[in-house]
Amino acid sequence: MLSRDGQPLMPCHPARARELLGKGRAVVVRRVPFVIRLKDRTPDESEVEGVQLRVDPGSKGSGLVLTDEKREPHDRSTVVTVRRGLVSVELQHRGDQIRAGMRRRAGYRRRRRKANLRYRAPRSDNRARRSGWLPPSLRHRVDTTFSLADRLCRWAPVTGIHVESVAFDTHSLIAGRLIQGTEHQRGPLAGTTPRAHLRAMWNGACAYCGVSGVPLNVEHVRPRSRGGSHRISNLVLACVPCNKAKGSKPVETFLAHRPDRLATVLPQVKAPLDDAAAMNATREQLTTVLATLGRPVRAWSGRLTKANRLAMGLDKTHALDALCIGPLDHAAGDQIVRFPHHVLTAKASGRGSYARTTPDRHGFPRLLRTRAKQHFGYVTGDLVRAVLPTGKWAGTWTGQVSVRARGQHSLTTPTGRINVSHRNLRLLQRGDGYGWAIRSEATQSTSRKMG
């Protein structure tokens, strides 16, 4: 909620917002997230106690929650701190899509070079990168989390930011136990090479058919095209025929007729560490950029978050983890007394593509894309309301629109996608690169209140 001059005030209950709008004391500033502005009140005429923004960063998604903390009497002799969750937002990143898109683009580029040139000398790797550089898929996680935190700071009187900062020990994750000291220097490849390690592991034989005494290739069990890594646990030795026959197939499909071989290969394949590496690479930069919002930033450990969540009997979601960030003295009676029952989800969808052609699966241009993004006053991602007077879909529909050059746009509704003429549309809110939705927090809490 905003004041008359646009300054943030304390968040209010939806029923209170409906009452203010019904009396004409407020106007709608933004529909998703829903923000209103009072027409008859300034910050000096309001009691603004301030709220805290708690951020739980993740690789696939992040949770952001606005909370307030108050001191309330527990009994005649003690006073405890109670924390209430006011607004919950779950941000869904698209780093995996960016990574896949860049790999696809690199594949198209390499194909063009190989098709047009017999030989091209490798380019020297002399391009310097600025300090703090991150790959686009990781930079996206930092930028989108900061962008959403910036918006919440503009719409609510945030007095402090609490962020969870977790560092993963990937070597301990691989070993399955805590590794300390010089043990970090004694990995599976200590004193050997990948090929020698694989020869010793598979006795110089093909992992798929068992043949030996033939040339062997280093094979990715989970293909690179399907997200496989170069980790030694994802590598085996394969003869040339098996390597060619497997190609980019999943190993479960390729060895479906050899269950004994499949049972030998699968135990060595371990879960990829992409998520842990992404968190390690972005945690410090996220804290740094959040500090530019002008609010004090405090980083807390994931162990404290887990202890608070278990003590309050909450499920593990990004929104509830964000609510549990920061210290709570449970022995003294501190507790979380309220969490938002409805969580606003923001799925990063981007703002379109720079590509001017649509390629086929081989990378050849298939059709030309229009250079204009706006058609008949609408852009893909805009929130609109469609009023259809007749036909199968007669009625009023609200959703995000996908524009077409001929004016027959596509509208996403809860029941599916429908075609709507631009003449029957009314703009509610310009697209901001996110797909907004609401989900219910289905956890059973031991808290006193749930809103």
Side-chain angles (χ1 to χ4, degrees):
M1 185 166 62
L2 304 178
S3 65
R4 185 174 61 187
D5 54 354
Q7 298 299 317
L9 301 179
M10 293 295 291
C12 67
H13 195 273
R16 176 60 175 167
R18 289 192 295 267
E19 179 184 0
L20 294 172
L21 292 172
K23 293 181 178 180
R25 295 181 53 194
V27 294
V28 177
V29 175
R30 187 178 177 87
R31 293 183 176 271
V32 185
F34 194 73
V35 182
I36 62 174
R37 179 176 59 84
L38 296 177
K39 298 190 293 184
D40 57 356
R41 185 181 296 178
T42 62
D44 297 335
E45 301 171 347
S46 307
E47 294 183 4
V48 182
E49 300 175 353
V51 298
Q52 303 85 39
L53 174 61
R54 304 181 187 274
V55 183
D56 174 50
S59 176
K60 298 291 190 300
S62 299
L64 297 92
V65 176
L66 294 176
T67 65
D68 67 347
E69 291 187 344
K70 295 182 178 180
R71 300 284 292 175
E72 293 184 355
H74 183 62
D75 51 33
R76 295 182 178 179
S77 60
T78 61
V79 178
V80 300
T81 300
V82 295
R83 180 184 299 174
R84 299 188 307 159
L86 304 177
V87 179
S88 292
V89 182
E90 188 174 284
L91 174 62
Q92 300 175 8
H93 303 301
R94 63 184 191 99
D96 292 342
Q97 300 177 21
I98 295 175
R99 182 183 181 186
M102 296 194 67
R103 282 186 174 179
R104 184 168 56 250
R105 186 180 66 179
Y108 294 161
R109 182 172 61 249
R110 290 168 184 154
R111 187 209 61 80
R112 290 194 301 267
R113 288 177 178 175
K114 291 175 63 176
N116 299 330
L117 297 175
R118 292 187 60 190
Y119 174 74
R120 181 169 182 165
R123 180 177 181 177
S124 58
D125 190 12
N126 60 355
R127 290 170 288 177
R129 291 170 175 169
R130 66 182 185 276
S131 177
W133 178 89
L134 287 175
S137 59
L138 299 183
R139 172 57 56 185
H140 157 80
R141 293 176 171 92
V142 177
D143 291 345
T144 52
T145 305
F146 169 78
S147 174
L148 200 53
D150 183 29
R151 299 183 188 192
L152 293 177
C153 289
R154 295 199 306 265
W155 299 330
V158 176
T159 58
I161 300 176
H162 301 265
V163 59
E164 183 183 83
S165 181
V166 180
F168 292 93
D169 186 353
T170 55
H171 199 163
S172 297
L173 292 176
I174 294 174
R177 60 182 179 86
L178 182 61
I179 294 179
Q180 299 178 351
T182 59
E183 287 185 299
H184 286 93
Q185 303 175 6
R186 296 193 292 269
L189 297 180
T192 184
T193 63
R195 185 173 287 274
H197 176 79
L198 293 175
R199 281 191 172 276
M201 178 182 295
W202 297 101
N203 296 322
C206 175
Y208 297 146
C209 65
V211 65
S212 59
V214 297
L216 299 174
N217 296 336
V218 177
E219 158 73 10
H220 293 80
V221 179
R222 185 183 182 188
R224 292 284 292 164
S225 60
R226 297 180 181 270
S229 66
H230 292 300
R231 287 177 58 192
I232 192 65
S233 62
N234 192 47
L235 301 179
V236 296
L237 291 179
C239 61
V240 176
C242 287
N243 192 7
K244 290 183 178 180
K246 180 176 179 294
S248 59
K249 300 177 183 176
V251 66
E252 295 83 0
T253 303
F254 178 66
L255 294 180
H257 63 292
R258 298 176 183 174
D260 54 337
R261 286 290 174 181
L262 182 61
T264 305
V265 173
L266 283 183
Q268 81 151 24
V269 180
K270 299 181 180 180
L273 298 175
D274 296 348
D275 295 336
M279 296 298 299
N280 288 342
T282 58
R283 65 186 184 94
E284 292 184 359
Q285 293 208 19
L286 179 60
T287 305
T288 301
V289 298
L290 289 177
T292 62
L293 295 175
R295 277 78 170 177
V297 179
R298 299 198 62 181
W300 304 96
S301 67
R303 181 179 300 178
L304 179 61
T305 303
K306 181 179 180 180
N308 291 337
R309 187 182 70 247
L310 295 179
M312 300 309 303
L314 299 176
D315 291 343
K316 181 171 177 56
T317 65
H318 282 297
L320 294 178
D321 271 357
L323 181 62
C324 297
I325 293 174
L328 285 174
D329 190 354
H330 301 286
D334 295 352
Q335 58 181 326
I336 299 173
V337 299
R338 179 179 184 268
F339 70 90
H341 182 61
H342 296 287
V343 178
L344 185 64
T345 62
K347 183 178 181 180
S349 56
R351 296 178 181 269
S353 173
Y354 290 104
R356 298 273 60 89
T357 60
T358 299
D360 58 13
R361 63 189 183 92
H362 301 291
F364 292 97
R366 184 170 57 89
L367 54 87
L368 293 176
R369 295 180 180 177
T370 176
R371 299 190 67 86
K373 289 189 176 181
Q374 185 175 12
H375 298 286
F376 298 94
Y378 299 97
V379 181
T380 296
D382 289 347
L383 182 66
V384 299
R385 177 172 294 165
V387 179
L388 303 181
T390 59
K392 177 181 177 181
W393 302 99
T396 302
W397 305 89
T398 302
Q400 288 186 313
V401 67
S402 178
V403 299
R404 297 190 180 100
R406 65 179 183 270
Q408 192 74 6
H409 301 330
S410 177
L411 182 65
T412 302
T413 68
T415 58
R417 300 179 67 90
I418 61 176
N419 294 327
V420 182
S421 172
H422 67 91
R423 299 182 181 88
N424 298 327
L425 298 179
R426 184 169 69 89
L427 181 66
L428 299 180
Q429 179 176 295
R430 284 296 182 186
D432 55 1
Y434 296 95
W436 299 93
I438 296 178
R439 70 168 178 84
S440 298
E441 198 72 82
T443 184
Q444 296 296 326
S445 173
T446 58
S447 303
R448 292 181 293 168
K449 302 177 183 178
M450 184 176 68

